[in-house]
Amino acid sequence: MSKLEVIQPGMLSLIQDVGRFGVAQLGLSQGGPVDLHAYCWANHLLANSMHCPVLEITLGQASFTAREDTMVALTGADMMATLDGTAQKNWRSFQIKKGQTLKLSFAQTGLRAYLAIAGGFAAQKIFGSSATVMRNKLGGLTKGDGSLARGNKIAAGQLLSAASSNQDRTVCLSVPNHFIPDYGDIIEIGVLPSYQVESFPKLQRERFFQSSFTVSPQSDRMGVRLTGAEIKCDTAGIISEGIALGAIQIPPDGQPIILLNDRQTLGGYPKIGCVSRLDLPKIAQARAGSTIHFYAADIEEKSSQWCEFLGFFNV
Amino acid sequence: MKSAVIKRVSETHVMIYIGDTIAPERASLFGSLCEKIRLEFSAGVIEVVPSYTSIMIEFNLSKISYGTLEAGLTELLGGFEQSAQKIQARVIELPVYYHADVAPDLQTLAEAKNLSVQQVIEIHCQTLYTVCAIGFSPGFAFLGSVDDRIVMPRHASPRLKIPAGSVGIADRQTAVYPDDSPGGWQIIGNCPSTLFSPEREPMMPFSVGDTVRFKSVSLEEFTQQGGQRCPNWK
């Protein structure tokens, strides 16, 4: 069975599958990969089901040694991967022979890489998912004593095993070039105006769509904070309500926060709309200091693109 | 339910808004409405999240179109009100140790309200509260409504760590913190019961629409039930 030993875990490396659904009414976050596009390609390159757990590696500085011959795929942020010192191209599947070490350096562009293994990483499921949500203390790998996985990031010395070996194949595949995104420093984001958009005066809405915002370093898997023009709303707070993935909430300080996978389930700040689903990976890969421009997107157009995405990956 | 408004907020999320004020008497209706939505749209609906005046629904666009979902919800909401009133809410009794050992705000709240500590405890225990929403963190249940005589706003600046079990008041809401967490509520007691455990079925003792009553217990009962004193507050 394929196995990788964690030599260097990196700053934040988390087991993620598509997420934990159906328990938000208990206050549990969905979790899951913040860059769903890169996650799906990583599984797709290995002919894995889209539900197979993958490792989400933030910022890099991680290395793994194969205990057996292992097929993996690497997508997302380019971390200058090397295999026993030889450069490995990103966005492709390749084999790591027994004893070889895969080493990831710092992310060159973007923030997060996705490392998939043929058959998916073996991880216990809790409420139908092994997605790691650190703030909920759920998901991820157990420490080997059979106890419930407690939302820990991976640690040095841990063994990452494949859940099944029957899918092992040694064909190396690459993602076609036009599907490989450029995680640039200037990012255009489609927004579906909704929620409390009517509570933002016209002038404030114009300011939101015409200004540029800067990604704050105080961003994480819960939300990406932006700084820039102050956007003022007629109401300071609303009665707490469900927060959709990608919702853009604007607290009284006027600085938008885009809410991601580990977001709280309910919140009482006004929201101007939601980032379109297929633009969320760009937000997830945006480094501190990146510039963001918003444009008003058409829900029909974005919905049909989302449907195509779901159909292509069968997710 | 003629007052309901359905609004799409993203490719995959819909809000149903019902009313615009916090009304605990509506919570059981919301709870059963959510159950009905989960049952009727089990194929296409992924998530149903109720709050005070809204229900958020996440749906799978490859299983159900927005048009079909909207039409189905409109029909369901149209015929809902009458039948839902019959559902009986459960009553869950939670033990609370009301004492300065575990509750740094008990005395100050009593003083601010010109009550004795004993009166605050009696008033907090007299009310039958309704679970209006669950969220913020796993198992955190927003309970309404607190008696006017003991209503207190949140602290201006939240505490960095509130120990698990802490019972708090924020305006007309009361709640038990299921786990250690930052928070700004006025802490008046501690409940030794485990309110959220992923190993247990069900994970939580209540859902939206259920009712909760607090019962004052002695230090002895509190510690017997696993409660821990937490004298160090910051």
Side-chain angles (χ1 to χ4, degrees), chain B residues 154-160 162 183-186 234:
Chain B
R154 291 171 177 81
H155 288 284
S157 169
R159 289 191 172 98
L160 293 176
I162 305 254
W185 293 35
Q186 305 284 343
K234 287 187 189 102

Side-chain angles (χ1 to χ4, degrees), chain A residues 2 13 19 33 49 68-69 90 133 167 187 251 276 279 304:
Chain A
S2 315
S13 300
S49 142
E68 306 290 338
D69 292 359
N90 199 10
V133 180
Q167 283 198 53
I187 303 158
S276 103
D279 282 341
S304 66

Side-chain angles (χ1 to χ4, degrees), chain A residues 22 26 30 127 194 240 277 303, chain B residues 9 12 47 51 58 139 203:
Chain A
L26 304 179
Q30 288 175 343
F127 314 127
S194 58
S240 285
R277 296 289 305 242
S303 296
Chain B
V9 294
T12 49
E47 204 82 80
S51 186
E58 178 174 359
M203 286 172 280

